[in-house]
Amino acid sequence: MAESWPGSPTISWNENSNSMPTNTNYGSLLEHINLPSDLRALGENELPKLAEELRKFLVETVSKTGGHLAAGLGTVELTIALHYVFNTPHDRLVWDVGHQTYPHKILTGRRKQMATLRQEGGLSGFPRREESEYDTFGVGHSSTSISAALGMAVAAARKKEDRHVVAVIGDGALSAGMAFEALNNAGDMDANILVVLNDNDMSISPNVGAMSNYLVRILSGKVYSSVRSGSKTVLGTIPPMWELAKRAEEHMKGMVMPSTLFEELGFNYFGPIDGHDLKTLTHTLSNLRNQNGPRFLHVVTRKGKGYEPAEGDPCVYHGVSPFDPSTGKMESKPKTKTYTQVFGDWLCDMAAKDDTLVAITPAMAEGSGMVAFSKQFPERYFDVGIAEQHALTFAAGLACEGLKPVVAIYSTFLQRAYDQLIHDICLQDLPVMLAIDRAGLVGADGATHGGNFDLSYLRSLPNITIMAPADENECRQMLTTAHHIKGPSAVRYPRGSGPGAKISKDLVDLPMGKAEIQQQGSRVAILAFGSMVAPALEAGNTLGATVVNMRFIKPLDENLIRELAGSHELIVTVEENTIKGGAGSAVNECLAEASITVPIINLGLPDAFVEHGETRSLLSQCGLDAQGIRHSILRAAPVKLARVLESA
């Protein structure tokens, strides 16, 4: 039996009962669960009913707000079991990525707020320390849970605090090097930590059945652990006998479970077990709660569990827009092509013309628009898993041998491979092209996924060429230009659709480092980068300003900048990147180097993390819509000039 704390449940399943006891105080179980302490007051045979209600509530909620669905459906039972067995929040529960944490949010006091999920001022789509004491670590990027949990476990030991620490990581996140670095460190330190692998990349194998569940419950139990510990003490005085016993144990476990790797890293491995079997989950977790040292529990779940559309296509239902819960049909998408689709089309067209082109993604084939390419050119398509650092150095190796790698990556994920970009690509001046998706604000995904910094962290690097398209056709032209560059290059484009420009099928290069004047005016010159060209044109029309599509961040069109500074009273730069160190700073540096003094206004994203919300609203709050740009110019311009502009 598990050790207990005040109010903790007693784990004692009635093996002979198939009935579901009812509690007269509870109409619907879920509506009475406001905190995990309420959950722990339930009888264990009520938990499957709660899981059913929780799953239904999750589908209904996300159908209205959109968000990540399939992963959360797969962790309903696991979430219930973890909060039922462990005394959260005193015991630390650390989630990885956060896609699977909606059930956790519902059970930890936020059920009534789920209607605000991913909306401005509402709940985040990811765990956040500011949001709840049950969110022990803020996440959004993968593979951080084991490292963070290890830190918490070591801190608890140093402070002599009696608490358990559990990290929950998915099989995809476990593919990242950081996760194995943490496992190696935790095993070497003999830390008191439990790692739960939520393996949802396969259907339940023959091993995950009654026999496997039974063996894991035996192996995780107190009797087996005592015998194992006692045998080590007794047989340890006779080394050959202990070695023989140890090998016999490993052989027995190896016949039914893939334990070798994690055992070698210093963990005591248990599993795999059925992650939808609440009885086995609670029994096993309760047993493991009574053990010390590095423990690894392998749990197999099914993405989309319990909701047929999501079970049938977990990729589509990984991240969803609002949908009809009765049919699973999602709201119709806009007919205008997104930048991601423009990239996907270009990739296939260019690959048909150039057989040296190869494409790489760190586990974002669908999100980066590479599905069609993967089917048409499977031998030239490489999904390296959640391993951004490896993706860039792998691309560098390909480039060394004469191939032309295209790495499709989100701006926020490129941050994780910065050293490889500097050391392995730019330093060696290799022709690796970065197709940077989700540059700028990303709306409902919020601060963890915002691509607000790439212009700042890229433009300081030698040898790289950086471009940002104003529309869909220019995106295609820039991708072509980047492909033909003999050194590192980057094309950064925003999430979603552009202004709806007609897209030519031609593969045409742009003149290197040349901007384009879109509107000729006087007094004020607005230098706009990428997605900001459209609102800058709208604002410029009301002010009689010159508006320039800068196209290139590096190299800048320095001749045009100096010319405009000499013929205008005010220079304004506008970018969907943080102002600090961004494209506007590059313009400032250009003018300073030429000893040209002219009033300059730099507009861009603030020196702060921009939270989740609707993208258009967030841009407006940052002063990056047409009205905001106009207002900023009038407010910051010299008084005499502002009066002239207002009367224009």
Side-chain angles (χ1 to χ4, degrees):
M1 182 159 307
E3 62 180 314
S4 62
W5 60 90
S8 69
T10 300
I11 307 297
S12 56
W13 290 83
N14 182 352
E15 302 283 357
N16 300 315
S17 175
N18 293 319
S19 63
M20 184 72 64
T22 58
N23 187 325
T24 55
N25 296 324
Y26 288 22
S28 166
L29 293 178
L30 182 59
E31 69 183 24
H32 291 86
I33 305 297
N34 296 311
L35 292 172
S37 56
D38 300 322
L39 167 64
R40 293 190 280 267
L42 295 179
E44 65 274 5
N45 283 341
E46 293 178 287
L47 299 184
K49 175 70 161 56
L50 176 63
E52 180 184 335
E53 293 181 8
L54 178 54
R55 188 167 272 115
K56 181 179 179 182
F57 180 81
L58 180 60
V59 171
E60 290 178 349
T61 300
V62 178
S63 73
K64 295 179 176 64
T65 63
H68 295 99
L69 180 62
L73 288 170
T75 59
V76 166
E77 288 83 4
L78 178 60
T79 305
I80 290 172
L82 286 166
H83 282 295
Y84 192 70
V85 170
F86 290 95
N87 185 22
T88 55
H90 175 76
D91 290 336
R92 308 303 196 214
L93 180 55
V94 184
W95 296 93
D96 212 284
V97 184
H99 295 150
Q100 72 275 46
T101 57
Y102 294 0
H104 162 79
K105 286 177 180 275
I106 294 166
L107 295 175
T108 54
R110 288 166 279 183
R111 172 170 48 84
K112 294 180 181 179
Q113 297 171 270
M114 286 297 289
T116 70
L117 185 69
R118 292 159 48 92
Q119 297 174 34
E120 195 172 319
L123 293 180
S124 169
F126 302 94
R128 294 191 59 186
R129 285 168 54 82
E130 301 90 341
E131 190 174 290
S132 170
E133 63 179 332
Y134 291 90
D135 292 358
T136 59
F137 196 74
V139 296
H141 291 189
S142 82
S143 316
T144 62
S145 60
I146 304 174
S147 298
L150 177 60
M152 294 176 187
V154 171
R158 285 191 59 82
K159 295 162 68 177
K160 301 188 185 314
E161 294 175 342
D162 182 18
R163 71 171 82 250
H164 300 278
V165 181
V166 183
V168 184
I169 187 168
D171 54 285
L174 194 63
S175 69
M178 182 177 179
F180 282 93
E181 292 172 12
L183 285 171
N184 183 58
N185 190 202
D188 183 62
M189 295 174 66
D190 196 33
N192 192 21
I193 182 176
L194 170 61
V195 175
V196 178
L197 170 60
N198 173 31
D199 183 351
N200 57 23
D201 195 39
M202 57 182 176
S203 59
I204 295 177
S205 67
N207 278 346
V208 186
M211 178 58 78
S212 180
N213 288 343
Y214 175 74
L215 283 170
V216 172
R217 287 164 62 187
I218 293 291
L219 294 172
S220 65
K222 186 176 293 185
V223 172
Y224 177 82
S225 298
S226 298
V227 170
R228 187 177 189 271
S229 178
S231 298
K232 183 175 182 179
T233 303
V234 174
L235 298 179
T237 59
I238 316 173
M241 291 296 293
W242 169 243
E243 187 63 28
L244 177 63
K246 183 179 178 184
R247 289 185 180 182
E249 176 199 32
E250 290 177 352
H251 179 67
M252 180 184 72
K253 293 172 72 175
M255 288 191 295
V256 294
M257 54 194 71
S259 63
T260 305
L261 172 62
F262 302 106
E263 297 276 3
E264 289 296 330
L265 287 170
F267 279 74
N268 200 9
Y269 173 95
F270 303 91
I273 63 172
D274 185 348
H276 302 296
D277 183 338
L278 271 162
K279 180 167 65 174
T280 297
L281 280 171
T282 52
H283 265 289
T284 303
L285 289 170
S286 184
N287 286 336
L288 293 178
R289 192 164 62 87
N290 291 328
Q291 297 186 22
N292 294 315
R295 291 143 291 153
F296 192 99
L297 175 61
H298 184 173
V299 175
V300 177
T301 62
R302 181 168 184 171
K303 284 183 180 178
K305 172 72 173 177
Y307 185 57
E308 187 175 341
E311 282 192 24
D313 199 338
C315 286
V316 168
Y317 286 85
H318 168 70
V320 297
S321 57
F323 63 94
D324 181 347
S326 63
T327 63
K329 186 176 180 180
M330 296 184 205
E331 293 180 355
S332 58
K333 296 180 180 179
K335 295 181 180 179
T336 306
K337 278 197 173 183
T338 65
Y339 281 104
T340 301
Q341 291 169 326
V342 171
F343 165 72
D345 292 345
W346 172 86
L347 191 63
C348 292
D349 292 345
M350 182 58 78
K353 288 182 174 292
D354 184 355
D355 61 9
T356 67
L357 184 152
V358 292
I360 302 164
T361 176
M364 295 301 297
E366 292 83 7
S368 295
M370 299 179 72
V371 173
F373 178 87
S374 69
K375 294 177 179 177
Q376 291 183 41
F377 305 96
E379 74 286 354
R380 293 155 65 181
Y381 165 76
F382 304 96
D383 184 344
V384 301
I386 302 177
E388 295 88 356
Q389 293 170 297
H390 164 61
L392 264 65
T393 304
F394 173 54
L398 291 167
C400 284
E401 299 302 321
L403 298 183
K404 296 295 293 290
V406 178
V407 180
I409 192 167
Y410 290 7
S411 172
T412 187
F413 298 150
L414 180 59
Q415 295 163 185
R416 309 186 79 179
Y418 194 51
D419 180 61
Q420 286 68 31
L421 177 59
I422 296 172
H423 184 269
D424 299 337
I425 294 176
C426 291
L427 179 61
Q428 301 186 87
D429 200 18
L430 292 172
V432 174
M433 172 183 154
L434 303 174
I436 306 175
D437 204 333
R438 271 64 166 179
L441 299 181
V442 292
D445 280 340
T448 59
H449 283 59
N452 303 3
F453 311 106
D454 54 80
L455 294 185
S456 300
Y457 68 69
L458 287 174
R459 75 174 193 85
S460 61
L461 304 183
N463 296 330
I464 195 169
T465 299
I466 310 168
M467 294 169 270
D471 60 44
E472 299 89 339
N473 191 56
E474 192 167 74
C475 182
R476 185 176 172 90
Q477 293 172 326
M478 287 183 176
L479 292 166
T480 303
T481 305
H483 181 68
H484 292 145
I485 290 173
K486 294 182 179 180
S489 61
V491 180
R492 61 105 67 173
Y493 43 91
R495 182 177 192 171
S497 303
K502 183 178 179 180
I503 303 172
S504 170
K505 290 295 290 181
D506 295 334
L507 297 168
V508 179
D509 285 359
L510 291 173
M512 180 58 64
K514 294 298 180 183
E516 178 185 50
I517 296 177
Q518 299 244 317
Q519 174 180 294
Q520 185 65 58
S522 62
R523 297 183 178 273
V524 176
I526 304 176
L527 312 184
F529 295 85
S531 60
M532 290 293 100
V533 172
L537 272 170
E538 188 178 341
N541 279 331
T542 68
L543 299 171
T546 297
V547 180
V548 183
N549 172 13
M550 291 301 294
R551 287 180 167 170
F552 289 81
I553 294 88
K554 189 174 185 177
L556 281 171
D557 191 339
E558 295 185 352
N559 290 334
L560 179 60
I561 292 171
R562 289 191 289 264
E563 180 184 320
L564 293 171
S567 58
H568 291 73
E569 299 172 46
L570 177 66
I571 299 294
V572 181
T573 66
V574 192
E575 61 191 296
E576 195 176 342
N577 184 86
T578 181
I579 296 174
K580 302 293 184 181
S585 293
V587 173
N588 299 349
E589 293 161 11
C590 169
L591 294 175
E593 288 172 3
S595 299
I596 296 174
T597 302
V598 62
I600 303 175
I601 301 172
N602 297 135
L603 303 180
L605 297 175
D607 184 24
F609 292 105
V610 181
E611 299 300 341
H612 55 280
E614 197 273 324
T615 302
R616 184 176 300 178
S617 173
L618 296 177
L619 285 171
S620 176
Q621 291 176 37
C622 295
L624 294 180
D625 58 357
Q627 184 177 354
I629 293 170
R630 172 185 165 83
H631 176 73
S632 294
I633 292 172
L634 293 175
R635 183 181 59 192
V639 176
K640 289 184 179 180
L641 176 59
R643 288 173 181 168
V644 173
L645 294 174
E646 279 194 287
S647 63

